[in-house]
CSV table of all heavy atoms in Angstrom, one decimal:
chain,number,residue,atom,x,y,z
K,1,LEU,N,-0.8,19.7,-10.5
K,1,LEU,CA,0.4,20.1,-9.7
K,1,LEU,C,1.2,21.1,-10.5
K,1,LEU,O,1.6,20.9,-11.7
K,1,LEU,CB,1.3,18.9,-9.5
K,1,LEU,CG,0.9,18.0,-8.4
K,1,LEU,CD1,1.9,16.8,-8.3
K,1,LEU,CD2,0.8,18.7,-7.0
K,2,ALA,N,1.4,22.3,-10.0
K,2,ALA,CA,2.3,23.2,-10.6
K,2,ALA,C,3.7,22.8,-10.3
K,2,ALA,O,4.0,21.9,-9.5
K,2,ALA,CB,2.1,24.6,-9.9
K,3,PRO,N,4.7,23.3,-11.1
K,3,PRO,CA,6.1,22.9,-10.9
K,3,PRO,C,6.5,23.1,-9.5
K,3,PRO,O,6.2,24.2,-8.9
K,3,PRO,CB,6.8,23.8,-11.9
K,3,PRO,CG,5.8,24.1,-13.0
K,3,PRO,CD,4.5,24.2,-12.3
K,4,GLY,N,7.2,22.1,-8.9
K,4,GLY,CA,7.6,22.2,-7.5
K,4,GLY,C,6.6,21.8,-6.5
K,4,GLY,O,6.9,21.7,-5.3
K,5,ALA,N,5.4,21.7,-6.9
K,5,ALA,CA,4.3,21.4,-5.9
K,5,ALA,C,4.2,19.9,-5.6
K,5,ALA,O,4.6,19.1,-6.5
K,5,ALA,CB,3.0,21.9,-6.4
K,6,SER,N,3.7,19.5,-4.5
K,6,SER,CA,3.6,18.1,-4.1
K,6,SER,C,2.2,17.8,-3.6
K,6,SER,O,1.4,18.7,-3.2
K,6,SER,CB,4.6,17.7,-3.0
K,6,SER,OG,5.9,17.9,-3.4
K,7,VAL,N,1.8,16.5,-3.6
K,7,VAL,CA,0.5,16.1,-3.1
K,7,VAL,C,0.6,14.7,-2.5
K,7,VAL,O,1.5,13.9,-3.1
K,7,VAL,CB,-0.6,16.2,-4.2
K,7,VAL,CG1,-0.4,15.1,-5.3
K,7,VAL,CG2,-2.0,15.9,-3.5
K,8,ASP,N,-0.1,14.4,-1.5
K,8,ASP,CA,-0.1,13.0,-1.0
K,8,ASP,C,-1.4,12.3,-1.4
K,8,ASP,O,-2.5,12.8,-1.1
K,8,ASP,CB,0.0,13.0,0.6
K,8,ASP,CG,1.4,13.3,1.0
K,8,ASP,OD1,2.4,13.1,0.2
K,8,ASP,OD2,1.6,13.8,2.2
K,9,CYS,N,-1.2,11.2,-2.0
K,9,CYS,CA,-2.4,10.3,-2.4
K,9,CYS,C,-2.3,9.1,-1.4
K,9,CYS,O,-1.3,8.7,-1.0
K,9,CYS,CB,-2.3,9.9,-3.8
K,9,CYS,SG,-2.2,11.3,-5.0
K,10,THR,N,-3.5,8.5,-1.2
K,10,THR,CA,-3.5,7.4,-0.2
K,10,THR,C,-4.4,6.3,-0.7
K,10,THR,O,-5.4,6.5,-1.5
K,10,THR,CB,-4.1,7.9,1.2
K,10,THR,OG1,-5.4,8.4,1.0
K,10,THR,CG2,-3.1,8.9,1.8
K,11,ALA,N,-4.2,5.1,-0.2
K,11,ALA,CA,-5.0,3.9,-0.4
K,11,ALA,C,-4.8,3.0,0.8
K,11,ALA,O,-3.9,3.1,1.5
K,11,ALA,CB,-4.6,3.2,-1.7
K,12,THR,N,-5.8,2.1,1.0
K,12,THR,CA,-5.7,1.2,2.1
K,12,THR,C,-5.8,-0.3,1.5
K,12,THR,O,-6.3,-0.5,0.5
K,12,THR,CB,-6.9,1.4,3.1
K,12,THR,OG1,-8.1,1.2,2.4
K,12,THR,CG2,-6.7,2.7,3.7
K,13,TYR,N,-5.2,-1.2,2.4
K,13,TYR,CA,-5.2,-2.6,2.0
K,13,TYR,C,-5.4,-3.4,3.3
K,13,TYR,O,-4.8,-3.2,4.3
K,13,TYR,CB,-3.9,-3.0,1.3
K,13,TYR,CG,-3.7,-4.5,1.0
K,13,TYR,CD1,-4.5,-5.0,0.0
K,13,TYR,CD2,-2.9,-5.2,1.8
K,13,TYR,CE1,-4.4,-6.4,-0.2
K,13,TYR,CE2,-2.8,-6.6,1.5
K,13,TYR,CZ,-3.5,-7.1,0.5
K,13,TYR,OH,-3.4,-8.5,0.2
K,14,THR,N,-6.3,-4.5,3.2
K,14,THR,CA,-6.5,-5.4,4.3
K,14,THR,C,-5.7,-6.6,4.1
K,14,THR,O,-5.8,-7.3,3.1
K,14,THR,CB,-8.0,-5.7,4.4
K,14,THR,OG1,-8.7,-4.5,4.6
K,14,THR,CG2,-8.3,-6.6,5.6
K,15,VAL,N,-4.9,-6.9,5.1
K,15,VAL,CA,-4.0,-8.1,5.0
K,15,VAL,C,-4.8,-9.4,5.0
K,15,VAL,O,-5.7,-9.6,5.7
K,15,VAL,CB,-3.0,-8.1,6.2
K,15,VAL,CG1,-2.0,-9.3,6.1
K,15,VAL,CG2,-2.2,-6.8,6.2
K,16,THR,N,-4.3,-10.3,4.1
K,16,THR,CA,-5.0,-11.7,4.0
K,16,THR,C,-4.1,-12.7,4.7
K,16,THR,O,-2.9,-12.5,5.0
K,16,THR,CB,-5.2,-12.1,2.6
K,16,THR,OG1,-3.9,-12.3,2.0
K,16,THR,CG2,-6.0,-11.0,1.8
K,17,GLN,N,-4.7,-13.9,4.9
K,17,GLN,CA,-3.9,-15.0,5.5
K,17,GLN,C,-2.8,-15.4,4.6
K,17,GLN,O,-1.6,-15.7,5.0
K,17,GLN,CB,-4.8,-16.2,5.8
K,17,GLN,CG,-4.0,-17.3,6.5
K,17,GLN,CD,-3.4,-16.9,7.8
K,17,GLN,OE1,-4.0,-16.3,8.7
K,17,GLN,NE2,-2.1,-17.2,7.9
K,18,ALA,N,-3.1,-15.4,3.3
K,18,ALA,CA,-2.0,-15.7,2.3
K,18,ALA,C,-0.8,-14.8,2.4
K,18,ALA,O,0.3,-15.2,2.2
K,18,ALA,CB,-2.6,-15.7,0.9
K,19,ASP,N,-1.1,-13.5,2.7
K,19,ASP,CA,0.0,-12.5,2.9
K,19,ASP,C,0.9,-12.9,4.0
K,19,ASP,O,2.1,-12.9,4.0
K,19,ASP,CB,-0.5,-11.1,3.1
K,19,ASP,CG,-1.4,-10.6,1.9
K,19,ASP,OD1,-1.1,-11.0,0.8
K,19,ASP,OD2,-2.3,-9.8,2.1
K,20,ILE,N,0.2,-13.3,5.2
K,20,ILE,CA,0.9,-13.7,6.3
K,20,ILE,C,1.8,-14.9,6.0
K,20,ILE,O,3.0,-15.0,6.4
K,20,ILE,CB,0.0,-14.0,7.5
K,20,ILE,CG1,-0.8,-12.8,7.9
K,20,ILE,CG2,0.8,-14.5,8.7
K,20,ILE,CD1,0.0,-11.6,8.4
K,21,ASP,N,1.2,-15.9,5.3
K,21,ASP,CA,1.9,-17.1,4.9
K,21,ASP,C,3.2,-16.8,4.0
K,21,ASP,O,4.2,-17.4,4.1
K,21,ASP,CB,1.0,-18.1,4.2
K,21,ASP,CG,-0.1,-18.5,5.2
K,21,ASP,OD1,0.1,-18.5,6.4
K,21,ASP,OD2,-1.1,-19.0,4.7
K,22,ALA,N,2.9,-15.8,3.1
K,22,ALA,CA,4.0,-15.4,2.2
K,22,ALA,C,5.2,-14.7,2.9
K,22,ALA,O,6.3,-14.8,2.4
K,22,ALA,CB,3.5,-14.5,1.1
K,23,GLY,N,4.9,-14.0,4.0
K,23,GLY,CA,6.0,-13.4,4.8
K,23,GLY,C,6.2,-11.9,4.5
K,23,GLY,O,6.9,-11.2,5.3
K,24,SER,N,5.6,-11.4,3.4
K,24,SER,CA,5.7,-9.9,3.2
K,24,SER,C,4.7,-9.5,2.1
K,24,SER,O,4.1,-10.3,1.4
K,24,SER,CB,7.1,-9.6,2.7
K,24,SER,OG,7.4,-10.2,1.5
K,25,ILE,N,4.5,-8.2,2.0
K,25,ILE,CA,3.7,-7.6,1.0
K,25,ILE,C,4.5,-6.5,0.3
K,25,ILE,O,4.9,-5.5,1.0
K,25,ILE,CB,2.4,-7.0,1.6
K,25,ILE,CG1,1.7,-8.0,2.5
K,25,ILE,CG2,1.5,-6.4,0.5
K,25,ILE,CD1,0.6,-7.3,3.4
K,26,ALA,N,4.7,-6.6,-1.0
K,26,ALA,CA,5.5,-5.6,-1.7
K,26,ALA,C,4.6,-4.9,-2.7
K,26,ALA,O,3.8,-5.5,-3.4
K,26,ALA,CB,6.7,-6.3,-2.5
K,27,ASN,N,4.8,-3.6,-2.8
K,27,ASN,CA,4.0,-2.7,-3.7
K,27,ASN,C,4.9,-1.7,-4.4
K,27,ASN,O,5.6,-1.0,-3.8
K,27,ASN,CB,3.0,-2.0,-2.8
K,27,ASN,CG,1.9,-1.4,-3.6
K,27,ASN,OD1,2.1,-1.0,-4.8
K,27,ASN,ND2,0.7,-1.3,-3.0
């Protein structure tokens, strides 16, 4: 990245039953 430049990075996550039970997913 040069000064002032931006980039979008990505990742994916598959929700589990424990996440549903917990009520939220924080990252």
Side-chain angles (χ1 to χ4, degrees):
L1 281 182
S6 298
V7 67
D8 284 340
C9 303
T10 58
T12 58
Y13 176 71
T14 301
V15 178
T16 68
Q17 184 57 50
D19 299 331
I20 300 297
D21 297 337
S24 66
I25 307 164
N27 192 332

